Amino acid sequence: MTPLPFPLADPPDAATEEAGRRLFAGPVDFLKGVVAMDGLPPGDRPEVCFAGRSNVGKSSLINALAGRKGLARTSNTPGRTQEINFFTLGDSHYLVDLPGYGYAKAPLQVVERWQRLLKAYLAGRATLRRAFVLIDARHGVKPPDEEIMRLLDGAAVTFQVVLTKDDKIKPAERARVLEQVRAALARHPAAFPELVLTSSETGEGLATLRAIVAGLT
C-alpha cells in the first residue's frame, strides 16, 4: 500500500511527551511585540512561529498549549494584531505569534507594512526552526493560506500544518478536508510531511504539538 502523503503525526512516546509537557509547564511569558526588524530580540535560542488566518483559533491554541487562558490575546485589537509577538518558553525557546492574515477590513497600507515585516522576519531569522500554519479543520486551505505557504517556500522555512477546531467537524467532513489539505501541501516544497489535528476545547493534539516544539533545537 502506498503511504498516505502528509499523514497525521503519531502521538509522542512517554519520554517525548514529558519533555513537551515540561517545556510548556515552566515559565511562559510575553516578552515583547515587534513592529520592525530592529526590534527583534537576540537570536540566541531556537524559535517556532504560529501563523494563521484571523479567527482560526491561534490565540486559543497558544493559550491551551501553555495552560494559561490570558497569555495570547484572543481579541482582534487593531495595532496589537499587527505586531510579531514573542513569548519565552523558559530559557530554551521563543514562541512567536504572527499577526492573523486574511483580514479584509485592515487598511491597505497596514496590510502592506505587515507583509513587508513578515517577509523580512521569515527570510532573516536564522534561529527559526519551524513555522506552524494553522488551518481551520472545518474549511481547509484557503487562498490566504496559500499565500503564506508560498512566502515560507520562498524563505526556505519548513512549515507544518496544524488543523484547529477538530472538535467542531464530523468524521466524513474531516476526511474530505484532509484530502483537500494534502493536495494543497503537495505543491509546497517547504511543507513538513506530517499534519497535527488539534482542539483547544478538548485538548486533542496538544501533547503531540508540545512534543514537536520541544524536539526542535
Side-chain angles (χ1 to χ4, degrees):
M1 181 180 292
T2 303
L4 193 66
F6 299 98
L8 297 178
D10 291 328
D13 60 33
T16 310
E17 180 174 350
E18 177 60 13
R21 187 199 67 77
R22 286 200 310 268
L23 178 64
F24 282 88
V28 181
D29 298 302
F30 176 71
L31 177 64
K32 65 187 305 190
V34 175
V35 295
M37 286 294 286
D38 59 8
L40 293 176
D44 58 0
R45 67 192 72 184
E47 65 192 57
V48 297
C49 69
F50 284 72
R53 293 197 313 275
S54 299
N55 301 320
V56 76
K58 179 160 54 66
S59 295
S60 295
L61 181 63
I62 291 172
N63 289 339
L65 285 169
R68 294 162 174 81
K69 289 185 177 180
L71 185 67
R73 297 189 181 186
T74 55
S75 66
N76 291 322
T77 307
R80 175 78 175 194
T81 56
Q82 303 310 310
E83 297 177 350
I84 296 178
N85 291 315
F86 278 76
F87 299 86
T88 53
L89 298 177
D91 296 323
S92 63
H93 291 70
Y94 285 132
L95 186 155
V96 184
D97 182 11
L98 298 179
Y101 56 82
Y103 39 82
K105 295 180 180 179
L108 182 59
Q109 65 269 24
V110 171
V111 175
E112 290 176 344
R113 178 170 57 82
W114 173 75
Q115 288 177 335
R116 286 195 300 271
L117 176 60
L118 178 62
K119 289 177 182 177
Y121 166 72
L122 293 175
R125 194 66 171 171
T127 49
L128 179 59
R129 296 292 183 263
R130 187 169 302 174
F132 293 100
V133 177
L134 276 51
I135 303 293
D136 191 318
R138 300 170 297 179
H139 305 309
V141 174
K142 298 293 186 182
D145 302 314
E146 290 280 3
E147 185 176 349
I148 195 79
M149 291 175 189
R150 286 193 294 270
L151 270 179
L152 291 160
D153 288 337
V157 173
T158 300
F159 70 86
Q160 185 165 8
V161 161
V162 175
L163 292 137
T164 62
K165 306 182 183 183
D166 187 52
D167 58 301
K168 301 185 186 304
I169 188 172
K170 294 180 180 178
E173 187 65 11
R174 180 188 299 111
R176 184 194 66 77
V177 170
L178 286 173
E179 183 178 359
Q180 187 259 358
V181 169
R182 288 169 172 140
L185 290 180
R187 300 190 289 270
H188 294 281
F192 188 80
E194 283 184 345
L195 307 175
V196 183
L197 278 173
T198 67
S199 166
S200 300
E201 296 292 326
T202 68
E204 177 189 6
L206 297 184
T208 299
L209 191 50
R210 290 187 191 109
I212 291 170
V213 174
L216 294 170
T217 58

